[in-house]
Amino acid sequence: MKILQISSATSFGGGERYVADLTNSLVARGHDLYVVLRPNSPLIGYLNIDREKIKTLPMRNSLDVPSAHELARFVARHGIEVVHAHMARDYSLAAYAARRNRQAKFIVTRHVLFHLSRLHRHTLSRAHRVIAVSNAVASEIRAQRIVSDGQLAVVTNGVDVNRFNVEFNRTRFLQTLGLPANVPLVGSIGELRTLKRHDDFIRAAARVSSRFPEVHFVLAGLDTSLSREVHKHLEQLVNETGLNDRFHFVGWIEDAEKLLSAIDVFVSASETESFGLAIAEAMAAGTPVVATATEGAQEVVIDQETGLLVPIGDVERLAESIMNLLSSNELRTQIGVRGREVVNQKFSLERMVDQIEQIYRD
């Protein structure tokens, strides 16, 4: 099958991991994959396809007419059968390309919970299938009355569990990041954005440090805004809470799976998650999770069994849950083992690709 994936992403997060894993898995299954990206896209380095099958276009916004025309020509030139878009600003461009090529079917994956504009709602209504990455996203789409039940499919995100079965030298890895290897580590991974509420993680860390002075904390992620205001605010908060020597910003790291395997507790303090891919990846690594009870996290984590859920914005409960895990090797092991089992059973990449491949065939 000739399949085109489209993403105008300028940073690498859960949605981009989804595109890379889906593309590479479909290539491994013998499909003919093409990808359209923005110039200098962070996705390029993660794709296992020939470079001549990767095309770059500006894709500046939903009304980028030159990009839409060039995309339609690309679809025609390669006989694409499935056009699969992943970001809202790409929907109308992908829809136009599919409409100009009758053999091509227009598929969308909706990765987030945000409301869609009138243009995007109109475009989505014309998709052959809209894939929601969680039941929470599907509920949001239904609430906006955008598509019919026949158009909507729920395919929960999948994790490539094999990435977490690789042996590595933990001490050496942590040292390359400037992290101590002989102390307990509590960490989080995520883009430095306000809605991720990393400031709550820092405030919780301050409470934890008063009881566990040997613990260090690590935050991996970038502030991709021009002003870097969020990063500056978080650094200031670390200074104010006296965590300068024990809270580490490590920026973007290629081997996120190694960090997730190396830390003792993973924390997600976000105020919204459509699914919570980093949470599922931490579980795949066998690392116990403390997460705020976002819509997405509640679909991934079974409270007190595969992780600990706390109310959004409750710094005290966040700190207490972290300390409960740090206090008990037995509890950390029990939750870590059960979390890994559930990810393998319910959230494997193979299951996700099976379901999407079937949607393409249908």
Side-chain angles (χ1 to χ4, degrees):
M1 199 180 309
K2 288 180 176 285
I3 303 163
L4 172 64
Q5 305 290 342
I6 304 172
S7 173
S8 61
T10 56
S11 60
F12 194 91
E16 291 66 53
R17 169 59 66 188
Y18 175 106
V19 175
D21 285 346
L22 175 60
T23 299
N24 295 336
S25 297
L26 291 168
V27 168
R29 295 184 180 202
H31 296 288
D32 195 7
L33 267 291
Y34 298 80
V35 181
V36 171
L37 308 169
R38 272 183 168 179
N40 302 314
S41 168
L43 266 163
I44 291 177
Y46 292 88
L47 299 172
N48 299 329
I49 65 175
D50 296 334
R51 286 296 180 264
E52 62 266 22
K53 293 187 175 181
I54 300 175
K55 183 173 182 59
T56 59
L57 291 172
M59 295 191 289
R60 296 181 182 90
N61 53 53
S62 302
L63 302 175
D64 187 341
V65 175
S67 289
H69 286 312
E70 184 55 36
L71 186 59
R73 287 191 287 268
F74 185 84
V75 169
R77 188 158 59 247
H78 295 284
I80 300 297
E81 299 166 84
V82 173
V83 176
H84 192 161
H86 297 271
M87 301 194 74
R89 64 171 165 257
D90 305 334
Y91 295 167
S92 58
L93 309 183
Y96 175 81
R99 195 162 62 248
R100 292 291 300 270
N101 296 274
R102 294 184 178 277
Q103 84 285 354
K105 303 304 179 187
F106 172 41
I107 308 289
V108 163
T109 291
R110 187 71 181 148
H111 296 268
V112 294
L113 291 164
F114 309 133
H115 273 311
L116 289 155
S117 69
R118 182 179 299 177
L119 170 62
H120 293 141
R121 291 199 301 271
H122 174 71
T123 304
L124 224 61
S125 70
R126 304 177 69 172
H128 290 88
R129 284 289 188 281
V130 176
I131 301 170
V133 299
S134 66
N135 288 304
V137 172
S139 295
E140 181 64 30
I141 293 171
R142 290 191 186 99
Q144 295 182 63
R145 299 181 179 178
I146 298 169
V147 300
S148 68
D149 287 341
Q151 288 173 282
L152 184 61
V154 179
V155 179
T156 51
N157 269 336
V159 176
D160 182 3
V161 295
N162 293 325
R163 287 171 45 222
F164 300 89
N165 295 328
V166 178
E167 295 286 334
F168 71 101
N169 186 310
R170 178 181 182 273
T171 298
R172 188 178 305 154
F173 170 72
L174 291 176
Q175 288 174 343
T176 62
L177 296 177
L179 298 173
N182 57 348
V183 299
L185 280 174
V186 176
S188 187
I189 293 179
E191 191 173 356
L192 304 190
R193 301 171 62 194
T194 302
L195 58 80
K196 292 294 184 181
R197 299 188 79 140
H198 296 306
D199 51 346
D200 283 353
F201 173 40
I202 294 171
R203 292 186 181 97
R207 287 168 167 78
V208 173
S209 65
S210 64
R211 181 173 162 192
F212 294 88
E214 74 283 8
V215 175
H216 281 239
F217 306 89
V218 56
L219 175 57
L222 292 175
D223 182 347
T224 57
S225 69
L226 293 176
S227 65
R228 299 183 76 248
E229 281 302 314
V230 173
H231 195 176
K232 293 172 186 174
H233 167 68
L234 296 177
E235 286 183 324
Q236 182 180 349
L237 187 58
V238 167
N239 291 333
E240 291 172 357
T241 52
L243 290 172
N244 307 62
D245 297 330
R246 293 166 54 195
F247 198 100
H248 309 270
F249 294 93
V250 296
W252 171 256
I253 59 172
E254 293 289 338
D255 302 320
E257 62 273 11
K258 292 181 181 178
L259 181 61
L260 289 170
S261 299
I263 61 179
D264 297 283
V265 177
F266 176 82
V267 177
S268 172
S270 183
E271 68 183 48
T272 179
E273 289 289 350
S274 57
F275 175 79
L277 188 59
I279 295 170
E281 289 181 332
M283 291 164 63
T287 299
V289 168
V290 177
T292 45
T294 60
E295 302 94 326
Q298 291 182 74
E299 292 189 40
V300 179
V301 176
I302 305 170
D303 190 27
Q304 305 297 318
E305 183 177 337
T306 65
L308 304 180
L309 294 176
V310 303
I312 296 168
D314 192 333
V315 173
E316 195 64 44
R317 287 279 299 278
L318 192 67
E320 287 175 4
S321 296
I322 295 169
M323 290 188 285
N324 286 342
L325 289 172
L326 290 172
S327 300
S328 173
N329 291 332
E330 182 181 355
L331 181 61
R332 288 202 309 276
T333 300
Q334 176 185 324
I335 287 180
V337 168
R338 183 63 182 133
R340 177 179 281 175
E341 289 174 351
V342 167
V343 169
N344 276 274
Q345 292 165 6
K346 295 178 60 178
F347 303 114
S348 72
L349 177 62
E350 184 177 6
R351 183 269 319 157
M352 183 190 90
V353 178
D354 283 345
Q355 291 178 295
I356 293 176
E357 187 179 38
Q358 189 58 53
I359 288 170
Y360 289 167
R361 293 189 189 284
D362 290 344

